[in-house]
Amino acid sequence: MRAVVQRVTRASVTIDGQVTGSIGRGYLVLLGVGAHDSRAEADKLWGKLRGLRINEDENGKTNLSLADTKGEVLVVSQFTLYANCRRGRRPSFTDAADPALATELYEYFVDLVRTDVEHVATGTFAAYMQVELVNDGPFTIVLDTADL
């Protein structure tokens, strides 16, 4: 699994002109599922993300986790994180999971987040979405379970 995690002061997702999910201070997680991923990767990814100390304390140091700040999370599916651009000019997405597996693991990941976070919002899997955010910092981290 791959995730682009952005620390935000607010974020939202809009589908067909309607805001379907929004959060205040916390993380926007763009989540990609790979063809060979399983629940083990989702567990590993959330375990790492849940404990990351990427929020500032009273001294401006990144010492606080999501739980420490009672942050919120917006999870948006993003198969394009598995784009392979090595050949030609059109990305290949063969490394991304098929829709059935991707949906299952996306929903499983969201359920994991909900066990630890009070306010969790989502996009809609496979929908055309507009994502709006205010990146706090800016602070953006890329996580790949192959590297964790």
Side-chain angles (χ1 to χ4, degrees):
M1 287 186 136
R2 293 181 181 156
V4 173
V5 180
Q6 297 183 67
R7 190 179 72 190
V8 299
T9 56
R10 64 179 167 78
S12 64
V13 61
T14 301
I15 301 171
D16 294 329
Q18 298 285 337
V19 174
T20 60
S22 65
I23 62 166
R25 186 168 297 280
Y27 300 161
L28 167 62
V29 179
L30 303 174
L31 182 69
V33 179
H36 303 290
D37 286 341
S38 68
R39 288 182 175 213
E41 281 77 27
D43 292 335
K44 182 189 289 188
L45 182 61
W46 177 240
K48 176 60 85 172
L49 181 54
R50 174 183 59 222
L52 275 181
R53 298 181 336 177
I54 61 173
N55 294 287
E56 293 180 356
D57 63 15
E58 64 278 354
N59 298 315
K61 302 290 184 191
T62 52
N63 283 324
L64 302 177
S65 70
L66 188 64
D68 295 329
T69 61
K70 299 194 181 345
E72 301 176 353
V73 178
L74 172 59
V75 184
V76 176
S77 63
Q78 182 95 35
F79 81 94
T80 60
L81 292 177
Y82 277 90
N84 181 332
C85 298
R86 287 185 200 112
R87 295 178 47 212
R89 291 181 295 203
R90 181 179 300 192
S92 167
F93 298 101
T94 57
D95 293 337
D98 66 71
L101 175 62
T103 301
E104 175 194 335
L105 293 179
Y106 169 78
E107 291 173 357
Y108 178 73
F109 182 85
V110 169
D111 288 343
L112 290 173
V113 177
R114 286 189 169 130
T115 63
D116 294 317
V117 177
E118 187 174 325
H119 180 73
V120 179
T122 65
T124 299
F125 189 86
Y128 187 83
M129 299 174 272
Q130 290 79 45
V131 179
E132 203 173 335
L133 67 126
V134 176
N135 193 316
D136 183 28
F139 205 109
T140 302
I141 293 179
V142 177
L143 298 173
D144 189 321
T145 54
D147 299 327
L148 299 179

